[in-house]
Amino acid sequence: MKPKEGKESLTQNAARTANRDQGAAAPSTAASGLDEHGHPIGSHEGDAEQPHMTLPPAQRREINVLVGKFTAETDQTAKLRLAQQLAEKFKAVERFDSAGYYLEQIALVRPGEQTWKRAADQYFEAYSFATTEERQKLLGAKCQELYGKVLKNNPDNLDAKTNLGMAYMSSANPVQGITLIREVLAADPRNEKALYNLGFLAIQSGQFDKAVERFQELIKVNPENVNGQFYLGVSLAKTGAKEEAKKAFLKAKSISPDPALAASVDEELKKLQ
């Protein structure tokens, strides 16, 4: 998550950053409320009826041809190859749920820790971009399902466990999610993703002192973690530690060339005056 995105939808944004910093899980079709491409039905805001209409026509035609071939193919090896191609095409156009669907088809035929995780990671990416509660819950449930399969293969996959924890944040049992992420930290106290997510969730719940602690731990592990420095500044500012907050903001700005982050830092610094 980039600081420029502000503080709306904190849980999904924390998930997004975590996944991009080191990310990883996924559902079936109609039974899970997905269309034939793996999209949650009606999930693409503003284009629910024809989710691919925003794609350039050439890309849309190419994908449609591949979908047709995949549907008609009876040879398993060829079908899996087409599933991989479709996953790559959908990922390239940021249709992460569809990419997850086709990677899940591979995992169903060749189940294992890594195949399930590849599918799960794409659904998790889609989950992190969800802008409606319904879509967040649907994709979060899919992440829970697929990361569960990853952990069944390897209970020590901490990356999957962290993402599973974040997926629980949109469920009826968010405490389970926090418990899972804390278990990751118990196993690996220097885990950047777990520290970041717990810090961000503390901001979300207004526990700014706890957020400060988490982000301070994070930047001890990695002083170059831009988001860690930025949100340490946000947390410190909320506790009234203005000078320390200013240092954290300036550090974040100094280690990132992103002009959007620089603008966010400048905005936060103005608030401290």
Side-chain angles (χ1 to χ4, degrees):
M1 160 175 142
K2 294 187 176 66
K4 67 179 180 179
E5 290 164 347
K7 292 177 270 298
E8 83 280 356
S9 303
L10 298 186
T11 302
Q12 66 198 53
N13 287 338
R16 183 185 313 174
T17 299
N19 193 44
R20 287 178 171 168
D21 287 348
Q22 325 152 343
S28 57
T29 51
S32 297
L34 304 181
D35 66 19
E36 71 272 20
H37 302 299
H39 296 293
I41 294 170
S43 65
H44 288 288
E45 293 80 8
D47 208 2
E49 294 301 317
Q50 298 183 17
H52 303 300
M53 290 305 291
T54 56
L55 300 181
Q59 283 182 304
R60 189 165 67 250
R61 285 194 296 271
E62 183 181 15
I63 286 174
N64 286 342
V65 168
L66 285 173
V67 169
K69 288 181 178 179
F70 174 84
T71 303
E73 185 59 68
T74 56
D75 178 78
Q76 187 177 86
T77 300
K79 198 175 186 74
L80 292 178
R81 191 180 304 118
L82 287 165
Q84 180 62 44
Q85 291 178 32
L86 278 163
E88 292 169 0
K89 295 291 184 185
F90 278 119
K91 183 177 179 180
V93 296
E94 300 186 354
R95 295 291 196 261
F96 301 113
D97 47 355
S98 292
Y101 170 77
Y102 287 104
L103 289 174
E104 184 184 10
Q105 303 316 298
I106 296 173
L108 287 167
V109 176
R110 296 177 179 170
E113 177 187 355
Q114 294 307 314
T115 52
W116 285 121
K117 189 173 185 296
R118 287 173 64 220
D121 283 347
Q122 290 304 304
Y123 275 106
F124 186 76
E125 186 81 351
Y127 166 74
S128 74
F129 280 99
T131 58
T132 66
E133 184 178 355
E134 180 182 6
R135 178 163 164 76
Q136 209 176 11
K137 286 182 177 180
L138 179 65
L139 291 169
K142 193 60 183 178
C143 290
Q144 292 166 43
E145 175 193 340
L146 295 186
Y147 281 122
K149 293 181 178 181
V150 175
L151 293 171
K152 186 175 181 180
N153 280 269
N154 178 12
D156 295 324
N157 190 317
L158 300 185
D159 192 67
K161 197 169 190 177
T162 304
N163 285 354
L164 176 60
M166 291 307 297
Y168 268 108
M169 299 313 297
S170 63
S171 74
N173 189 15
V175 174
Q176 174 66 16
I178 294 173
T179 299
L180 286 168
I181 300 172
R182 285 176 175 165
E183 288 176 5
V184 171
L185 272 188
D188 176 15
R190 295 172 60 84
N191 190 292
E192 290 186 48
K193 185 193 289 188
L195 287 169
Y196 175 83
N197 282 335
L198 286 176
F200 212 82
L201 292 170
I203 289 179
Q204 184 189 33
S205 62
Q207 298 175 297
F208 299 111
D209 289 335
K210 286 188 177 180
V212 168
E213 291 177 14
R214 295 299 188 188
F215 289 122
Q216 284 177 335
E217 291 177 56
L218 174 56
I219 65 169
K220 284 179 184 176
V221 174
N222 179 11
E224 304 299 302
N225 189 305
V226 177
N227 286 329
Q229 292 285 0
F230 182 89
Y231 286 106
L232 174 59
V234 170
S235 305
L236 286 166
K238 289 291 188 179
T239 64
K242 292 186 177 182
E243 287 304 312
E244 291 179 81
K246 183 178 179 181
K247 290 178 183 178
F249 284 132
L250 291 175
K251 176 65 175 178
K253 189 175 181 180
S254 73
I255 59 179
S256 172
D258 185 355
L261 182 137
S264 293
V265 167
D266 291 342
E267 182 181 338
E268 294 297 328
L269 289 173
K270 285 181 182 178
K271 296 177 185 176
L272 295 176
Q273 293 175 359

